[in-house]
Amino acid sequence: MTNMARVIDRTNHEQPRTNLEDVIPLRTPFVVMVDPSSACNLKCLFCPTGDRQKIRETGRFQGYMRFETYKKIIDDFEDFEDPVKTLRLYKEGDPLVNPYFPEF
């Protein structure tokens, strides 16, 4: 299986855990959240992103990340001393509305 992301089995409790008190300050973040899109094409009642009027009132950007920005973020990972353990491509919006998402 080449060129595929490594999947970590979170149910395996034999994997050693890192005690934060032993490693703070961190040399590398454990988790990086990248938001490919702060927009969503749904209007779910339970989700604040679904209320477009309230989002406009906050002044929060509604749109998607350009591929060049994503590439810079990933390239900047090389500045960390250790590999990033987890990259999450989601935060506020629906990442699948970003037309560049397949390249991400």
Side-chain angles (χ1 to χ4, degrees):
M1 292 176 48
T2 59
N3 296 329
M4 297 196 65
R6 185 171 61 99
V7 176
I8 298 172
D9 180 2
R10 296 185 190 277
T11 61
N12 182 354
H13 299 289
E14 295 176 16
Q15 293 179 355
R17 307 257 327 162
T18 302
N19 292 324
L20 286 178
E21 65 187 23
D22 297 335
V23 294
I24 297 226
L26 294 175
R27 299 181 316 199
T28 302
F30 287 151
V31 178
V32 174
M33 295 179 76
V34 175
D35 201 4
S37 173
S38 61
C40 183
N41 57 356
L42 301 177
K43 295 182 182 179
C44 301
L45 298 176
F46 59 84
C47 179
T49 303
D51 190 332
R52 293 191 179 111
Q53 179 60 35
K54 286 189 180 179
I55 294 298
R56 275 193 288 279
E57 290 171 6
T58 67
R60 191 179 90 188
F61 172 75
Q62 288 284 280
Y64 55 84
M65 179 182 290
R66 294 183 344 224
F67 181 75
E68 294 78 20
T69 304
Y70 172 78
K71 183 171 178 350
K72 178 171 180 357
I73 292 169
I74 300 304
D75 290 345
D76 286 350
F77 283 6
E78 291 184 13
D79 294 340
F80 293 130
E81 292 184 36
D82 301 312
V84 171
K85 292 184 179 202
T86 302
L87 172 63
R88 293 193 176 137
L89 292 176
Y90 170 77
K91 187 175 176 295
E92 299 290 334
D94 179 355
L96 298 177
V97 301
N98 186 322
Y100 303 111
F101 189 71
E103 284 102 33
F104 286 14

